[in-house]
Amino acid sequence: MAIHADYHLHSSFSGDSDAPMEEMIRRGIALGLTQMCFTEHMDFDFPVSDISPAGCFEVNTDSYLYDLLKYREIYRDKIRILFGVELGLQAHLVPLQAAYATSKPFDFIIGSSHLCSGRDPYQPYFWEGRSEEEALREYFSSIIENLETFTDFDVYGHLDYIVRYAPGQDKDYSYEKYADLFERMLDLLLENGIGLEVNTGGVRYGLKDLHPCTALLRRYREKGGEIVTVGSDAHRPEDLCRSFDRVEEVLKNCGFRYYTVFENRTPRFVKF
């Protein structure tokens, strides 16, 4: 495996994981990682439901950082542990997002869209009463709005995350079908020095491609994009580094010869 850094990881500090942080770290060491970055969820104003009680996706950042620094010291001779967060973006929350991004000494911030117009694509109601294409267009348009209003993060996470939960998943999905929206997204990313995350989590949901799809990654590189981090989106130890060999192949075929790691919000490029 040529990729030795997993930059999208959740532990029991995230509401959708019960994995002890130390078990995640030990798994990373066993896999030969040199770096791993925890990116616990911070999704303000997430809709309350039976599966997401109030505050479910709002990390206790002080407790999280305390444990991370403890394990960073314990395992300092075996692996580098980075302090990150996955910040759920919504345009009406810009002041809150801006304050949080500077509230702690984060090494790395993923900006992600888990919601669209305050609704969760994971829930069946999101898809009711309209076509799949209409729903995806609304979601991708919300990403453009997020990028037009807030840019204090390092990469956009799993840019086409919504296809995980679409009724047809990625059966009829393609870059070309939404190229008008993707082109605007990529221009905004490049204008603001924000990179893309290559996320392998969708493979576990049965998707044919990575997040984002290969055609989008290729277009990002054609337009001059260079910053690409790699994350498994693991919520349990056994999912660390899943499909990383595939990521290496895809990135090379798209014209990349390196992936990116961050420390103190500063990117560094690592050759395959």
Side-chain angles (χ1 to χ4, degrees), residues 204-228:
R204 298 197 301 273
Y205 287 80
L207 300 185
K208 301 189 300 288
D209 210 341
L210 306 167
H211 289 308
C213 62
T214 300
L216 197 154
L217 286 169
R218 183 175 294 111
R219 183 63 179 144
Y220 172 66
R221 185 70 192 102
E222 289 171 352
K223 291 169 77 72
E226 298 181 304
I227 297 172
V228 284

Side-chain angles (χ1 to χ4, degrees), residues 68-95:
L68 185 140
L69 293 176
K70 176 180 68 176
Y71 291 123
R72 176 185 287 177
E73 179 64 21
I74 291 172
Y75 293 100
R76 63 180 180 179
D77 295 330
K78 296 182 178 180
I79 195 167
R80 179 68 175 150
I81 306 298
L82 286 307
F83 175 44
V85 67
E86 184 178 14
L87 185 58
L89 303 182
Q90 298 188 72
H92 73 283
L93 296 176
V94 167

Side-chain angles (χ1 to χ4, degrees), residues 52-70:
S52 56
C56 176
F57 293 113
E58 295 183 22
V59 62
N60 182 328
T61 312
D62 289 330
S63 295
Y64 161 40
L65 179 57
Y66 179 88
D67 271 20
L68 185 140
L69 293 176
K70 176 180 68 176

Side-chain angles (χ1 to χ4, degrees), residues 74-148:
I74 291 172
Y75 293 100
R76 63 180 180 179
D77 295 330
K78 296 182 178 180
I79 195 167
R80 179 68 175 150
I81 306 298
L82 286 307
F83 175 44
V85 67
E86 184 178 14
L87 185 58
L89 303 182
Q90 298 188 72
H92 73 283
L93 296 176
V94 167
L96 197 56
Q97 293 165 182
Y100 185 76
T102 58
S103 67
K104 299 293 180 184
F106 293 109
D107 289 302
F108 178 59
I109 298 178
I110 300 173
S112 291
S113 290
H114 296 125
L115 301 171
C116 175
S117 301
R119 296 175 296 164
D120 184 357
Y122 181 81
Q123 299 278 17
Y125 70 79
F126 181 85
W127 305 94
E128 294 172 354
R130 55 182 170 168
S131 70
E132 194 168 306
E133 181 175 350
E134 288 172 330
L136 265 64
R137 283 192 167 273
E138 182 189 5
Y139 175 86
F140 292 139
S141 295
S142 75
I143 291 179
I144 292 172
E145 184 180 16
N146 288 335
L147 286 166
E148 289 175 337

Side-chain angles (χ1 to χ4, degrees), residues 147-159:
L147 286 166
E148 289 175 337
T149 55
F150 180 71
T151 57
D152 191 10
F153 56 98
D154 302 307
V155 301
Y156 219 109
H158 43 49
L159 197 71

Side-chain angles (χ1 to χ4, degrees), residues 8 23 53 83 144 156 200 256:
H8 191 145
E23 288 188 16
F83 175 44
I144 292 172
Y156 219 109
T200 65
F256 294 94

